[in-house]
Each structure stands twice: as structure tokens, then as C-alpha cells.
Amino acid sequence: MGEEPMSLKETFIVLVWAGVLSGCAAEVGDTEALEELVGESQGALLGGNALTANALNLNALNLNALNLNALNLNGLSAQNLAAIRDPGPSGALAREFMKYATSCALKSTASFNFSWTDASGTVHNERYPGLLGAAPTWANGPLDELGQRMVSSCVAARVNYYQVPVLLSARSLRDPLKTLSSSQELIDYPDVEGAFWGNLFAAQPYVNACYNSATVDNSRAYQRDCAAGHLMSDGQLVGCGVIRMVGPCSQVCQALNGAGQYYPSCVDRPGQSTATVKEVITTALP
């Protein structure tokens, strides 16, 4: 096994963790080229998942208003454009969110492009490429509710409590993230860690997360506390910012689909109602 050449995905993981262990502060940016290659080889793989939880608690970027506009320079409102062009900390969070949201929503053939000017007068030309295509119509018009939920679930799945980039498999009942029994991805990423669902674009934003009790230790080994639940010093299990940890997936979600290894549906608001939703992103690790 040790003598076999590493695959592209394995090489990516080694490089990412080498950057983390060496204290490299720019590991996400340094791996963008590899991330694009991985995305091209298997579209349901997500790299660089180190989104800060604070990026989901935005005041400057009105997510409820954002879903009413097309994800392009001409479609966004003046308020949304001002938020992502803000040279201060709020603008940095807004741009971070937009980068991940674009990657989740648009196909690899599309991108969101804009520029902003920092406090020193330097112009930054941004290009956020699409990847998964979970809500591709957002490029030309408002997000419908299905799109809102798919983007919300995908973005939440990429939040990392420690801001450590991790390569993972993202799966769903909804196309284009439905995995098939013949997929090599199921072999390479066998440990289903949990699921994410909700709607960040709702009038009252919410996102839920649940964990797979059988793989919690593996998730913690990858520092995926937003999936396994973050353990406080008093032993309390908490979520990540707006992401609410609701406990084991077995208590709130339909049983794992055996062929595709994803949760087909979960209770939309555990503890409040029994209604279920199918716009769920299941994540898995090597």
C-alpha cells in the first residue's frame, strides 16, 4: 500500500495538512489550483473548507435580500455590492461568504467577478469560480427556496471551527450531488460524518447539523467540530455560530441511503415540528 502512487485527492490532502502543520497562513489560497483540479475530476468533492462561523452571522450582507437578486455584478443590489466592497472586517467576511456560496451554487463554467478597493487605494479584482452547481440559476435570477436551502446546507457544511482546510465529500438526494453505488468517491470517502440543512436566506436564518455517532472520532481527528459538535471545557456539546447541533443524525434524519451513502431527508426544525426537508448535504471523510 505504501509503495502505490498517491492519487490527486491523496496528494491534495497531504499538501493541505503539510501547510497546516507548518503554520502556513495562506494554505487555502495556495491550494486553489489543486482544488480546481479535484473539482474537475469529481464534482462532489470540496476542498479548502475553512469558512469561519462568523461569516454566517453577517449584518452588512443582507442574505435575505441577496436571494432576491441574480449573482452577477449587474444583478446585485447597491446594498449587497457595498457590503462585498467594504474594505473593513465586515467586507472581508462578506467576501468570504460569497466565495463559498458561489462555489456551492454555480457550475464550474460560471463565476462571480467584481472588484473592491482597500484602505490604501489598491484595487482587488476578485473572481469566485463555481464548482458544484447546486443552484446554477442564481447566476441569472433570484434563488428559489430549493436553491436557498441547497446553498445554505452546502455553505454550512464547509464551516470549520478552527478554520483548518479539509477535503471532503458532499452528497445529497438532490442532483447534481447524488452519489451512485459505483462511484469511486464512496470508496475513497467511506466515513459519513453527518449532515447539514436549513435556510440562511430566510427571514429568520437557521442551519442545523447532526453527527454520525459511529464516525465522531474520525471527524474530530480532522478537526471537523462543526460536524461532530464542539466540546466545551465543561463537556457541553455546541454548534458553530448560527449552526445548531441537534444531536445524532439517527434521531432526526431518514436512515442513510445504502447505495449513495447520504441522508435522504431530515427534520427541518427538530424540537419544533416533524416536517422534513430533502435539501440536505451529507458530508464524508476518508
Side-chain angles (χ1 to χ4, degrees), residues 171-236:
R171 309 165 186 175
S172 176
L173 172 69
R174 301 290 192 188
D175 288 327
L177 299 183
K178 183 179 289 187
T179 43
L180 304 176
S181 58
S182 59
S183 173
Q184 183 64 32
E185 188 174 325
L186 297 180
I187 298 174
D188 295 341
Y189 294 80
D191 283 348
V192 173
E193 63 171 358
F196 298 82
W197 67 97
N199 192 344
L200 291 169
F201 300 90
Q204 296 182 330
Y206 67 98
V207 184
N208 299 308
C210 65
Y211 57 84
N212 180 0
S213 301
T215 61
V216 167
D217 288 344
N218 189 50
S219 294
R220 294 201 187 286
Y222 278 89
Q223 295 185 277
R224 288 276 297 169
D225 281 32
C226 294
H230 180 65
L231 280 174
M232 304 294 286
S233 58
D234 60 1
Q236 181 183 3

Side-chain angles (χ1 to χ4, degrees), residues 10 27 29 41 45 52 83-84 94 103 107 117 139 143 149 153 166 217 230 252 259 264 275 277:
E10 292 168 332
E27 60 266 21
S41 64
L45 293 179
T52 172
I84 61 176
S103 175
K107 296 179 180 179
T117 305
L143 272 175
R149 289 182 174 278
S153 302
V166 178
D217 288 344
H230 180 65
V252 293
V277 292

Side-chain angles (χ1 to χ4, degrees), residues 101 104-105 132-136 143-157 171-178 196-201 278-282:
C104 286
L132 295 187
L143 272 175
D144 59 15
E145 185 176 353
L146 188 153
Q148 293 171 30
R149 289 182 174 278
M150 287 299 293
V151 172
S152 298
S153 302
C154 176
V155 170
R171 309 165 186 175
S172 176
L173 172 69
R174 301 290 192 188
D175 288 327
L177 299 183
K178 183 179 289 187
F196 298 82
W197 67 97
N199 192 344
L200 291 169
F201 300 90
K278 297 180 179 180
E279 294 76 42
V280 176
I281 296 291
T282 301

Side-chain angles (χ1 to χ4, degrees), residues 254-268:
Q254 186 179 350
L256 273 173
N257 175 288
Q261 289 296 292
Y262 55 80
Y263 295 102
S265 65
C266 297
V267 177
D268 188 24

Side-chain angles (χ1 to χ4, degrees), residues 102-111 128-137 139 176:
T102 301
S103 175
C104 286
L106 303 187
K107 296 179 180 179
S108 59
T109 54
S111 65
Y128 298 160
L131 180 64
L132 295 187
T137 58

Side-chain angles (χ1 to χ4, degrees), residues 13 18 31 44 47 99 107 136 140 153 159 163 169 182 192 211 233 246:
I13 293 170
T31 57
K99 179 179 180 180
K107 296 179 180 179
N140 302 308
S153 302
V159 174
Q163 296 183 52
S169 168
S182 59
V192 173
Y211 57 84
S233 58
V246 298

